[in-house]
Amino acid sequence: SAGKERLENIRNDYEKFMKTEGKSLLKKYLTKEVFDVLQTRVTSHGSGLKDVVQSGFANPDSSIGLYAPDPESYDVFAELFDPVIEEYHHGFAKDAVHPDVDWGNIDDLGNVDPEGRYVLSTRIRCARSVQGYPFNPSMNEAHYREIEDKVRAAISFLEGDLKGTYYTLDSMDYETRQQLIDDHYLFKEGDRFLIAANASRYWPTGRGIFFNNDKTFIIWCNEEDHMRLISMEKSSNLGSVCSRLTRVIQQIEKHIAFTRHPRLGYLTFCPTNLGTTIRASVHIRVPNLSKNFEKFQEIADRYKLQIRGSRGEHSKSEDSVYDVSNKRRLGLTEREALLEMRNGVVELIKQEKHFE
Ligand code: CIR
């Protein structure tokens, strides 16, 4: 039968995958025992183990290697997700509970580089999923359209400094699109991890981008997540970046119910983004630490920061500029995630000065 054939296929793919060289968390935790238990499970959206593991199977060099095809997957495939989540999120155990939303007092977040010598820009992004919908691999074309309609409607209520325009990718000309990518505003198409995860189907249906008029606030629609909310500016003022973000979230929340899990907080497509979903980052120019990369990495690890190249994930640094962000997003409050980034960056600046 077709079902039997599917099982044989995934068994073969599993055996091949386990012979590859990769060090992904998927490879570490998809033991034979776990595989055997999970291989026949299906969620109410019809998602199976294949939807969870296909990106990691196709890309053995993944660091994580798995995605959730729908909200329920985190429970249905818990034997796999739980240990991956625990390792990535620094010990968030399978019975741990993510705290309630708490942004704290935004006004006292202040400036991460008061001298303005190192930090070129500051950015906070969040992800939100629309309640009732599966994630990419289990979405059909109508789902993409419906979510875009809901997002577009919610955005139309933004006012004042948040007011702006939504552009659907479908009707964007090539030059505009390329300019937006070059300016770092728009998501790129063709991430091999996402393609292999079945996250790029029906492209560009339902995909789009919103800008406020100052281009200090962006919403991505139906890229990796249903919604990515991004606040940024070319300064080190974490307080104003955060204020904009929380005001937008408050507005959108009046019109769209977000998917939240009793234990895992806000749900996202990639397990690395669960909980607060916050990646708070700066672009920081550190020529000395860049030359002493071991020291740079040591501080980053100690302060639970992730270092990326200046063009985002899997990119290289240009002119000693790095993207530095909080690594933890789950098991701590929004405020704690922001402070983790801030404290780490303050320490990086201190050490960079030591070498001067
Ligand atoms: C991977 O597993 O490497 C890709 N699926 C991307 C995972 C998310 N990125 C990250 O944590 N840096």
Side-chain angles (χ1 to χ4, degrees), residues 24-25 55-56 59 61-67 88 125 191 193-194 197 224 270-273 279 306 308 313-314 327 329:
S24 65
L25 296 183
S55 182
N59 298 286
D61 61 336
S62 295
S63 51
I64 318 298
L66 68 167
Y67 289 95
Y88 181 85
R125 65 88 161 143
D191 178 292
F193 301 95
L194 290 177
E224 178 173 325
C270 181
T272 63
N273 292 325
R279 204 175 87 86
Q306 187 186 48
R308 297 181 177 183
E313 193 159 23
H314 312 296
K327 192 178 176 216
R329 333 187 197 289

